[in-house]
Amino acid sequence: MVCESWKAKLDTYLDGEVPEKEMRTFDAHVRTCPSCSADALARVQMKRAIQVAGKRFTPSAEFRKRMQRSIAPKRQRSFRVGWVLAAAAVILVVGSLTSAYLGIRSARDLAYRDHLFSEIADLHVATLASSSPVDVISTDRHTVKPWFQGKIPFAFNLPDLQNSEFSLLGGRMTYLDQTPGAHLIYDVRKHHISVFVFQERSLKLPASLENNFLSPKKPFNMETWSQGGLRYFVIGDASATDINNLAKLFKTTSS
């Protein structure tokens, strides 16, 4: 009964629709309450399953037929005029289909980008809500890095955190669209930051991916980049400056 007031707001919390101060209080409660933690994890997993089950919209073949019928010439006054009209019709059809294709591809890229960032945010929240957020617990990068050998199909470097405000808490394996990767957790001024590392070629990413992203529905700052054949995501409720500084440490280490 003590947690009923918390659970009543759990969906709002997971959607990131509570004030920032209340979000931090909720984060602390979820990490210390097994009941709310399990409930949050179950809801996040259900949300991800629903997203994966969804089907993207694809226009039917009837679209092209309607377009051709709408611009086809009604009559041919002469062979030459008919040929000109037919050529113009073809140009219009090709132009329209090209525009439609580019529009659909752009919409699909945008939808997938939003899906991708939503998945990353869900992985971050689910990990913090878990009773065992890391599989290897260590502040030593020389202990955490070797733990991933043989578990993921790539190697990566961890930055030296000396003279920085960041501390390494540990790591675990994770999956993004069935692609295995590394999930590292860092701490800065009581804020947890997740760093995800995946093999770039294993992810079906859109042609262009924004480097900086702030979801309007989740109070998380996120930065992503590609380097050395790997795709990095840094996400957390820490400030954009902290996210950027941790990303810089990884970029320097990976170069």
Side-chain angles (χ1 to χ4, degrees), residues 161-173:
L161 300 178
Q162 289 186 0
N163 301 321
S164 77
E165 298 180 285
F166 301 99
S167 59
L168 175 63
L169 301 183
R172 66 186 299 172
M173 277 194 65

Side-chain angles (χ1 to χ4, degrees), residues 7 14 20 22 37 39 69 76 106 117 158 187 221 235 251:
K7 291 187 176 182
L14 293 176
E20 182 177 355
E22 188 176 348
S37 174
D39 201 357
R69 286 197 298 266
Q76 295 182 347
S106 177
F117 287 127
L158 296 179
D187 188 61
N221 287 310
I235 179 175
K251 291 175 183 179

Side-chain angles (χ1 to χ4, degrees), residues 26-226:
F26 225 123
D27 286 340
H29 175 76
V30 169
R31 285 196 294 268
T32 57
C33 176
S35 177
C36 289
S37 174
D39 201 357
L41 180 58
R43 298 189 190 196
V44 168
Q45 291 173 336
M46 180 178 67
K47 178 177 177 294
R48 292 185 59 202
I50 293 174
Q51 290 177 337
V52 172
K55 295 182 179 179
R56 297 189 181 93
F57 169 77
T58 54
S60 65
E62 186 63 22
F63 172 79
R64 180 172 181 174
K65 294 180 180 179
R66 292 201 307 269
M67 184 64 69
Q68 289 175 327
R69 286 197 298 266
S70 66
I71 63 177
K74 301 300 181 180
R75 64 179 65 178
Q76 295 182 347
R77 294 187 177 88
S78 67
F79 176 79
R80 185 174 180 179
V81 173
W83 183 87
V84 171
L85 292 175
V90 170
I91 293 173
L92 288 174
V93 170
V94 172
S96 298
L97 292 179
T98 300
S99 298
Y101 169 74
L102 293 176
I104 292 170
R105 187 177 67 178
S106 177
R108 286 180 176 176
D109 286 352
L110 182 61
Y112 182 76
R113 188 205 66 176
D114 291 343
H115 161 76
L116 181 69
F117 287 127
S118 178
E119 288 290 293
I120 291 294
D122 286 347
L123 288 174
H124 173 69
V125 172
T127 298
L128 295 184
S130 172
S131 58
S132 301
V134 293
D135 294 329
V136 52
I137 304 174
S138 178
T139 59
D140 186 358
R141 59 180 176 143
H142 298 295
T143 298
V144 175
K145 176 183 175 180
W147 183 86
F148 286 98
Q149 293 179 359
K151 296 181 176 67
I152 55 178
F154 59 88
F156 61 94
N157 294 321
L158 296 179
D160 184 359
L161 300 178
Q162 289 186 0
N163 301 321
S164 77
E165 298 180 285
F166 301 99
S167 59
L168 175 63
L169 301 183
R172 66 186 299 172
M173 277 194 65
T174 190
Y175 290 88
L176 178 63
D177 288 343
Q178 300 181 346
T179 298
H183 183 179
L184 307 159
I185 300 179
Y186 290 83
D187 188 61
V188 57
R189 292 185 296 278
K190 297 183 180 181
H191 290 279
H192 293 313
I193 300 177
S194 290
V195 178
F196 297 93
V197 188
F198 298 94
Q199 205 166 24
E200 179 85 10
R201 67 186 183 188
S202 300
L203 297 175
K204 298 178 180 178
L205 300 176
S208 61
L209 194 63
E210 293 181 7
N211 286 333
N212 298 300
F213 178 82
L214 176 60
S215 169
K217 295 183 179 180
K218 295 182 182 295
F220 299 134
N221 287 310
M222 181 186 295
E223 185 165 341
T224 179
W225 72 95
S226 177

